[in-house]
Structure formats: structure tokens, C-alpha cells
Amino acid sequence: MYIHTIDYDKVIKSRYVTAVTNYRYALNYLVPLIDRLDIQRNIQDSKFYSRLERDLVKGCIMPPLTLAFIDQNAINIEDSKAFSIYFEENIKEGFILDGIQRLNTLQRTFKKYDGELDLNRNLYLNIVICSSMDNLLYRMITLNNGQKPMSARHQIEILTANLFEFEGSEMPIFTEREAKRLKIKVAFNKSDFIKGYLGFLANSTNIENQKIIEEKLDELIADKILDSNITEDELEFSDIVGIINRFSTNDRLFKWFKNANNFIGFCVGIKSNYQVINSTKTESFNDSVRLFEQAFESFNFSKIKVGRIRRNLVSYFIKNYGELSNTDVLDLVDILSQVD
């Protein structure tokens, strides 16, 4: 174990150390600490961490673990070498404050992918040395139980608000309240924008389903995002925003994209056909949208769920744009009517 920094937490009056070790050390010395104390969290269902298993084998960096000790005397240690000796001699007295699920996943990955896991990969540690259990429990609550875990949808909403300049962007994206405050008559709705982002990340138009309770729907979306290989895809959502921005200089297309189902379907479909759509001129795309809408009007709206079907068909149309944009209306109606 190599010590990087030594600091002092004035709130819980404890020594705070950052260090680095490797997977081999973690398997030998940290995994046995998982069940040391009753206050530690139970192991969760392994299916939630199956993607992390594969990522560990590929060589991802595991988020830092938090290791804790209760030792009033050790708080006075300020030398990195002395701390290294202390941890070597007292590691069995420590316990995992944050990262039990990750350690369990590491152990499972080691057993499941025999010989494929690089045991020399760095594993980073935050180490807290407290003088009392009360102070340690305070820190534990703020780490694990201070708030309800955020769903994937909520995390994306927060990220979206921070990554995209809504009011200052070339393509105006506002909440309805912001649009009213700024006296803007036509604007994209921020909530629709987030839905499009969710669809893009999950590679699925099925991000809204009244048949499924919200908690389970969020779990399904999270699973879809994990399975969509977004870390291996060079296409960024900002690239999609750029294309929509370009197309939206046309008033008709701007209004078309303001329909949330069109927006979501486009954001999902373009993942499979970015180069073709990106090379398409605005007027040409406008003509294609007009063709699509003529075909869509042939559907019996009383027999279908219009929003879901629109999302799916827009996605299908964009995925197969090169072929479908050159068909006539009747042929397109025939093709789209066969799409699930």
C-alpha cells in the first residue's frame, strides 16, 4: 500500500488518508473485512454488478473504496511511512465503510474470470481513522444513508442540466416556466430534451411506460444503459444536438422536433445511422419528414397507441433513412405498418 496524502477531518476529528494498492492486496486483505461488523451493508444481488465484472476484466478503474479504523492513538500519526507500517500491522482491525459491493464484485470476477483479471491494477483507497464509533457512524451515514440513492434517470437529469447551456445555446431549450419568464413563444422543452438523452443512452424508445411503476422503469432504463456499450461508442449526444440544431433552422423541422416522440425516436434511431443523417442537407431532410408524416397519417389512430408507435416508427425511419427516404408514400406505409 502506498500513501499519497495525509489530512485531518475537522468535522469528525479524524485522520484522513488517501492511498493506492492493487487488486491482489484487496483480495487478500480487504475482502475478508466485508463481514466484520453488523452495521455494514448486506451483499446485493450480483446481477446489478455483472457489467462491472466485465469492465474490471477489460481494465476499468474501480471507484475508490473507503476503509475505516477506530483508533484514537493512530490519529496522531502524520508520517506516511509510519502509516504504511500501521496499516500493515492493523489491517485486520479495519472494516469497509464504502465499497462492499465493489469488493464482492472484484472477488466474484476473480473467481469467474480465472486468469483474465490483472491483479496488478491500481485500486484506490480513502482511509478514515476515527477516535470513536460515534464519529465514524456520522461519516458512514453521510456516505451511505444520507439520501435515497438516485435513479439513473435522476442522475442524467442532473448531468444534463450541468452539461448543456440551455438558455445560452444556439438551439433554445427551456422549461415551460423559463420560456414564459423570458417571453419566448417557441422553445424546446428541457424535459423532452432529457427524454431524448435517456433514449440515446439506453438505445431504446421504451423509456416511458405507464404499465410499469416508476421505480422498476428506472431499473429497466439503467439496465438498458449498461447494456448499450456507451463507453465503446464514439458518438456523443452533443453530436446529435448539433444535427438537430442545424435541422431546426427550418421552422417546420423545429416544430417537428418539438414533438417529444419525434425527438426521442430521432435520438435513438440516429445512433445506428449517424454518418448518413449527418451528411443530409436540411431541405432534403425536411422533404423526408414530410414523406414520413404523409405515411403516418395513413395509420388508424383509434387502433394504436399513437405516442409509442410514433417513437418506434421515427426511430425505424431514421435507422433506415438511406433506403426509406427514397420510397413513395404507399410503399412507406406498407413498410412501416409491419414494424413492431
Side-chain angles (χ1 to χ4, degrees), residues 276-297:
V276 171
I277 301 298
N278 188 41
S279 63
T280 301
K281 294 182 179 180
T282 300
E283 288 306 315
S284 178
F285 187 73
N286 183 45
D287 291 340
S288 300
V289 166
R290 184 180 291 109
L291 171 67
F292 173 86
E293 290 299 330
Q294 288 175 352
F296 192 76
E297 288 174 1

Side-chain angles (χ1 to χ4, degrees), residues 22-195:
N22 56 36
Y23 291 166
R24 181 178 285 103
Y25 180 93
L27 291 167
N28 292 332
Y29 297 101
L30 301 184
V31 168
L33 304 181
I34 288 177
D35 297 319
R36 277 206 67 227
L37 297 178
D38 291 337
I39 63 173
Q40 292 174 315
R41 295 170 61 195
N42 295 326
I43 300 300
Q44 294 184 2
D45 193 323
S46 62
K47 71 178 183 180
F48 295 113
Y49 291 88
S50 59
R51 183 55 186 265
L52 179 56
E53 291 178 11
R54 299 193 294 273
D55 286 348
L56 286 171
V57 173
K58 290 181 180 179
C60 75
I61 298 296
M62 181 185 289
L65 310 177
T66 301
L67 181 64
F69 294 84
I70 302 174
D71 190 332
Q72 187 170 2
N73 295 326
I75 293 175
N76 299 319
I77 300 176
E78 298 181 353
D79 178 71
S80 59
K81 185 175 181 180
F83 258 125
S84 294
I85 296 173
Y86 174 82
F87 293 137
E88 181 178 349
E89 295 176 349
N90 297 277
I91 190 64
K92 293 182 180 180
E93 302 302 315
F95 62 96
I96 307 303
L97 193 64
D98 183 58
I100 288 177
Q101 314 304 334
R102 277 161 275 160
L103 274 176
N104 186 61
T105 301
L106 178 66
Q107 182 184 41
R108 191 170 56 252
T109 304
F110 173 68
K111 294 178 179 179
K112 186 175 180 180
Y113 297 91
D114 184 29
E116 296 183 50
L117 181 66
D118 182 2
L119 299 182
N120 292 317
R121 291 285 295 178
N122 283 347
L123 186 145
Y124 298 92
L125 299 173
N126 298 319
I127 306 172
V128 182
I129 302 97
C130 291
S131 59
S132 70
M133 176 63 78
D134 291 346
N135 285 338
L136 187 56
L137 282 173
Y138 175 86
R139 179 56 68 231
M140 184 174 183
I141 290 171
T142 58
L143 277 173
N144 293 314
N145 302 316
Q147 60 181 347
K148 182 180 179 180
M150 287 190 295
S151 66
R153 182 189 296 267
H154 190 193
Q155 293 178 62
I156 290 169
E157 288 175 357
I158 293 174
L159 284 172
T160 303
N162 285 278
L163 289 175
F164 293 94
E165 296 290 340
F166 288 95
E167 293 191 12
S169 64
E170 294 180 33
M171 182 179 67
I173 306 167
F174 303 94
T175 61
E176 292 180 1
R177 179 179 298 179
E178 288 171 337
K180 184 176 181 180
R181 175 174 61 83
L182 297 171
K183 298 180 180 180
I184 296 173
K185 295 182 178 180
V186 180
F188 282 89
N189 191 301
K190 187 186 296 184
S191 63
D192 294 340
F193 187 84
I194 291 170
K195 291 175 185 176

Side-chain angles (χ1 to χ4, degrees), residues 14 80 86 130 173 206 250 301 325:
S14 305
S80 59
Y86 174 82
C130 291
I173 306 167
N206 189 26
N250 179 291
F301 294 164
S325 60

